[in-house]
DNA sequence: CTAGGGTTAG
């Protein structure tokens, strides 16, 4: 095994002559890296444990994989400011100039000891991650491997986390940063003595990541706040936006938008509006998306006048509303449906057309409004209008149209459109199938209905409670009461719990099939 | 940071 690792060192050409690596190259490199790490896992960790601290296993990686550069020019060397906490680690590998490296010398040193202690893994992992600072991709896969083998423990190995965070901050790999923080949050829950704030203190020891440049620190804060939001830890996210926690860094409006939007979606509308007001007090400028979310928030509270007032606020702030803002309001009108409001939505829609601001989404919103108020032919007219403008339907919009067509009893048209979707390589999901199955049953097109059910299952889609209710209703309606009852068995094996609608449909089926006694028993004791 | 869709009611 060791032999295999050392046979063919990769020759590194000088950085100036090598073309910039493309995405494919990077992917390839990453794949190669994971492969080798997997190999390492099998070998045990001994390969990565050199005799001396300076003889880092990072060197092993260096001759094994060409060092890839990301978008930064090589003039920008990663500056890894030392901290008091990290001072005992050897910093000699900061500079990763890609000089020719004699590979043969290191072959023996990596297969040294077999008796690895947790301590040297800790030390080495920090060391290796740090030495891969010019290759974030590789650093990340190494880190992932460490985690999979549970070598990144807590709270002892906080420095390895700090190292990986610094690297990702520097390279602006925000998504990966968020993943690291998701991890950290999970770990900090296992180890209550550790607080994320301690980690930030560590990062701040340098005066910020990378020599006090707040842009880097901001990335770490954003990523952490985002991770909190994803985990619905809203209080923690909000707490971090407070002046004492921000470390005098101004929060990013995009992150704030993300927070406010998720708050609204989770029904915490008042909290969202409070944050919005706080942002304004902080002097942060909301952008058009912020305003759109606020419009949505007021609509959700049924305070449509206040939603209108937001447009005024935008005018004062000289932020031009975009199609999303208008759509948010149209959606609000459609959801708080009344004849008058629908007219309001139509007026705003035609204004959008005049301004050349229509987007696909506004069509969905208004179509949905028409469907809800049973103006199905208007909905279909709108669909035609949309096609005439060369807009295309996406998956969700297709389903809105399907649902309108099915209610009109025009399932065949819907089924034709399914073929269009497939021709466009669009994938149907469980909601499409539910709509269509329902439509087929309503028209008593049983062959189509069962074909749809089969197709859905063949594609590996699992029916959920709504789908089962639709099927139960369909079976009952066509008089197949026993099959509706039997559906409960299938639901049980699929782990879907029937609800009151399911039972209601089954009882209806039994009653209309004349099986009143069975219906009564079912009502009394269930199945 | 970018939304929206499927059952149901005398």
């Amino acid at each position: 095994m060791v032999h295999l690792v050392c046979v063919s060192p990769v020759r590194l050409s000088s950085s100036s002559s090598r073309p910039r690596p493309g995405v494919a190259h990077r992917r390839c490199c990453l794949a190669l890296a994971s492969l080798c790490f997997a190999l390492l896992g099998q070998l045990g960790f001994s390969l990565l444990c050199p005799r001396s601290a300076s003889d880092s296993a990072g060197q092993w990686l260096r001759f094994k994989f060409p060092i890839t550069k990301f978008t930064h020019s090589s003039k920008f060397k990663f500056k890894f400011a030392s901290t008091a906490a990290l001072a005992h680690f050897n910093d000699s590998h900061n500079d990763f100039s890609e000089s020719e490296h004699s590979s043969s010398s290191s072959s023996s040193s990596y297969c040294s000891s077999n008796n690895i202690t947790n301590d040297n893994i800790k030390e080495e992992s920090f060391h290796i991650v740090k030495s891969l600072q010019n290759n974030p991709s590789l650093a990340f896969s190494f880190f992932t491997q460490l985690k999979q083998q549970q070598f990144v423990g807590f709270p002892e190995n906080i420095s390895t986390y700090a190292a990986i965070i610094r690297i990702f901050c520097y390279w602006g790999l925000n998504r990966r940063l968020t993943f690291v923080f998701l991890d950290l949050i999970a770990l900090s829950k296992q180890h209550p003595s550790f607080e994320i704030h301690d980690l930030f203190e560590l990062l701040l020891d340098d005066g910020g990541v990378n020599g006090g440049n707040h842009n880097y620190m901001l990335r770490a804060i954003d990523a952490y706040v985002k991770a909190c939001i994803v985990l619905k830890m809203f209080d923690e996210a909000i707490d971090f936006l407070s002046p004492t926690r921000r470390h005098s860094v101004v929060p990013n409006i995009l992150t704030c938008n993300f927070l406010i939007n998720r708050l609204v979606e989770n029904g915490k509308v008042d909290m969202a509006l409070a944050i919005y007001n706080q942002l304004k007090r902080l002097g942060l400028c909301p952008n058009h998306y912020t305003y759109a979310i606020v419009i949505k928030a007021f609509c959700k509270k049924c305070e449509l006048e206040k939603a209108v007032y937001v447009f005024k606020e935008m005018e004062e702030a000289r932020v031009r509303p975009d199609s999303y803002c208008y759509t948010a309001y149209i959606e609000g009108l459609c959801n708080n449906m009344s004849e008058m409001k629908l007219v309001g939505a139509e007026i705003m829609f035609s204004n959008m057309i005049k301004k050349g601001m229509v987007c696909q989404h506004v069509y969905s919103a208004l179509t949905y409004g028409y469907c809800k108020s049973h103006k199905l032919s208007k909905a279909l007219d709108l669909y035609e209008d949309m096609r005439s403008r060369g807009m295309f339907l996406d998956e969700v919009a297709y389903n809105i149209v399907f649902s309108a067509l099915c209610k009109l009893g025009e399932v065949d048209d819907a089924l034709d459109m399914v073929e269009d979707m497939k021709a466009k390589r669009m994938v149907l999901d469980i909601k499409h199938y539910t709509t269509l199955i329902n439509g087929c049953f309503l028209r008593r097109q049983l062959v189509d209905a069962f074909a749809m059910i089969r197709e859905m299952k063949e594609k590996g889609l699992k029916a959920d409670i709504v789908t089962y209710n639709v099927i139960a209703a369909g079976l009952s309606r066509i008089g197949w009461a026993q099959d509706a009852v039997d559906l409960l068995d299938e639901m049980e094996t699929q782990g879907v719990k029937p609800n009151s609608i399911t039972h209601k449909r089954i009882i209806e089926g039994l009653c209309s099939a004349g099986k009143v006694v069975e219906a009564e028993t079912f009502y009394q004791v269930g199945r």
Side-chain angles (χ1 to χ4, degrees):
Chain A
M1 281 300 224
V2 175
H3 183 65
L4 185 137
V5 166
C6 304
V7 197
S8 53
V10 178
R11 267 186 72 88
L12 295 174
S13 54
S14 77
S15 59
S16 55
S17 65
R18 204 177 63 228
R20 255 186 56 184
V23 175
H25 175 76
R26 260 180 267 156
R27 290 230 174 97
C28 179
C29 199
L30 192 65
L32 201 66
S34 339
L35 199 74
C36 287
F37 286 130
L39 196 68
L40 280 179
Q42 284 173 17
L43 286 172
F45 221 65
S46 57
L47 273 175
L48 287 179
C49 294
R51 283 209 175 93
S52 68
S54 64
D55 196 7
S56 161
Q59 288 180 357
W60 178 84
L61 294 163
R62 200 164 99 213
F63 72 76
K64 194 60 198 160
F65 310 112
I67 306 292
T68 45
K69 285 221 185 296
F70 272 51
T71 47
H72 292 250
S73 105
S74 56
K75 282 176 191 162
F76 286 100
K77 281 272 143 55
F78 186 101
K79 283 208 194 91
F80 204 94
S82 62
T83 69
L86 308 181
H88 63 284
F89 289 108
N90 188 323
D91 261 22
S92 65
H93 291 297
N94 269 355
D95 186 337
F96 255 59
S97 57
E98 297 171 19
S99 58
E100 199 73 36
H101 176 73
S102 73
S103 50
S104 55
S105 67
S106 28
S107 57
S108 60
S109 56
Y110 298 118
C111 5
S112 50
S113 72
N114 284 322
N115 49 347
I116 317 136
T117 65
N118 260 337
D119 273 351
N120 61 23
I121 287 170
K122 244 184 292 165
E123 189 163 319
E124 282 313 312
S125 60
F126 166 76
H127 224 63
I128 293 165
V129 169
K130 194 164 86 67
S131 70
L132 289 171
Q133 54 202 233
N134 283 337
N135 197 332
S137 215
L138 214 48
F140 184 65
S141 36
F142 178 73
F143 181 72
T144 310
Q145 290 293 320
L146 276 180
K147 253 177 25 191
Q148 278 169 6
Q149 296 170 33
Q150 302 187 316
F151 284 130
V152 191
F154 234 133
E156 314 83 36
N157 213 349
I158 179 174
S159 48
T160 302
Y161 274 102
I164 199 95
I165 289 169
R166 284 164 208 276
I167 294 174
F168 290 170
C169 280
Y170 175 73
W171 292 98
L173 303 176
N174 300 339
R175 259 168 202 275
R176 289 186 174 179
L177 267 178
T178 306
F179 280 121
V180 174
F181 277 109
L182 285 171
D183 235 51
L184 279 163
I185 292 169
L187 282 166
S188 72
K189 281 182 180 162
Q190 286 171 27
H191 302 266
S193 62
F194 172 78
E195 282 197 47
I196 302 278
H197 300 303
D198 297 340
L199 181 77
F200 275 100
E201 294 306 322
L202 185 64
L203 291 169
L204 270 174
D205 272 356
D206 301 334
V209 178
N210 279 282
N213 186 333
H214 279 332
N215 284 331
Y216 295 113
M217 194 63 191
L218 180 60
R219 287 175 187 169
I221 291 179
D222 273 341
Y224 171 63
V225 172
K226 244 185 185 169
C228 290
I229 299 167
V230 169
L231 297 171
K232 301 195 180 184
M233 295 162 51
F234 295 120
D235 291 335
E236 286 83 348
I238 292 166
D239 179 52
F240 227 76
L241 294 176
S242 74
T244 46
R245 295 292 196 195
R246 282 186 290 113
H247 308 289
S248 74
V249 178
V250 183
N252 183 350
I253 187 66
L254 302 189
T255 308
C256 297
N257 288 345
F258 188 52
L259 172 62
I260 301 172
N261 195 33
R262 287 293 175 95
L263 284 171
V264 173
E265 278 171 7
N266 282 277
K268 300 178 187 295
V269 180
D270 288 323
M271 210 186 236
L273 291 170
I275 299 284
Y276 165 69
N277 288 322
Q278 190 190 326
L279 292 182
K280 286 196 293 187
R281 278 198 301 273
L282 280 173
L284 204 76
C285 293
N287 66 12
H288 51 89
Y289 185 45
T290 324
Y291 288 113
I293 299 166
V294 174
I295 291 169
K296 199 166 76 176
F298 281 126
C299 289
K300 210 164 182 176
K301 286 184 79 180
C302 300
E303 296 180 353
L304 293 172
E305 332 73 49
K306 286 189 180 167
V308 175
Y309 186 75
V310 176
F311 284 102
K312 221 174 242 170
E313 241 179 89
M314 292 182 77
E315 212 177 300
E316 281 162 18
R318 293 172 178 267
V319 175
R320 284 188 66 175
D322 65 353
S323 61
Y324 192 5
C325 298
Y326 292 120
T327 305
Y329 183 60
I330 289 178
E331 235 164 52
L333 289 170
C334 289
N335 287 333
N336 294 281
M337 187 55 72
S338 75
E339 188 67 27
M340 222 176 71
K341 283 170 186 164
L342 192 59
V343 172
E346 281 174 328
I347 293 169
M348 182 157 264
F349 176 72
S350 57
N351 283 335
M352 285 175 78
I353 289 189
K354 274 182 211 148
K355 289 184 184 173
M357 283 184 110
V358 279
C359 57
Q360 185 238 110
H361 181 71
V362 73
Y363 276 98
S364 300
L366 197 54
T367 308
Y368 186 58
Y370 282 138
C371 290
K372 258 179 81 169
S373 54
H374 306 287
K375 299 185 186 311
L376 299 176
S377 53
K378 276 204 165 189
L380 291 177
D381 286 349
L382 201 63
Y383 166 60
E384 283 307 323
D385 179 66
M386 178 175 165
R387 277 164 58 109
S388 73
R389 284 172 202 277
M391 322 264 315
F392 67 93
L393 295 177
D394 67 6
E395 285 87 343
V396 174
Y398 261 111
N399 199 35
I400 294 172
V401 176
F402 288 167
S403 156
L405 285 168
C406 287
K407 281 173 189 150
L408 284 170
E410 300 181 34
V411 207
D412 288 325
D413 288 346
L415 292 175
D416 286 342
M417 286 175 74
V418 169
E419 294 311 311
D420 294 344
M421 277 184 84
K422 287 177 181 167
K424 291 180 192 164
R425 294 174 170 261
M426 286 175 149
V427 179
L428 305 220
D429 66 20
I430 193 70
K431 292 186 181 173
H432 292 108
Y433 282 106
T434 308
T435 312
L436 294 164
I437 291 166
N438 191 37
C440 292
F441 272 125
L442 285 170
R443 281 255 92 187
R444 293 194 157 249
Q445 300 195 11
L446 306 188
V447 177
D448 290 321
F450 290 119
M452 276 293 149
I453 294 171
R454 200 179 56 224
E455 186 180 310
M456 176 185 78
K457 287 179 180 168
E458 278 169 2
K459 291 197 172 156
L461 288 169
K462 281 197 156 192
D464 64 9
I465 181 64
V466 181
T467 318
Y468 277 118
N469 286 344
V470 164
I471 297 174
L475 293 170
S476 295
R477 220 180 289 122
I478 62 172
W480 295 19
Q482 190 54 49
D483 295 83
V485 176
D486 292 343
L487 201 64
L488 290 170
D489 292 332
E490 186 186 322
M491 290 176 75
E492 200 180 336
T493 53
Q494 295 296 318
V496 180
K497 262 197 176 160
N499 62 16
S500 60
I501 300 178
T502 329
H503 289 123
K504 194 173 174 204
R505 295 288 158 263
I506 292 172
I507 290 169
E508 279 166 0
L510 288 166
C511 289
S512 60
K515 301 182 174 179
V516 185
V517 182
E518 286 92 331
E520 210 154 274
T521 325
F522 187 85
Y523 173 72
Q524 302 278 336
V525 292
R527 184 108 213 262

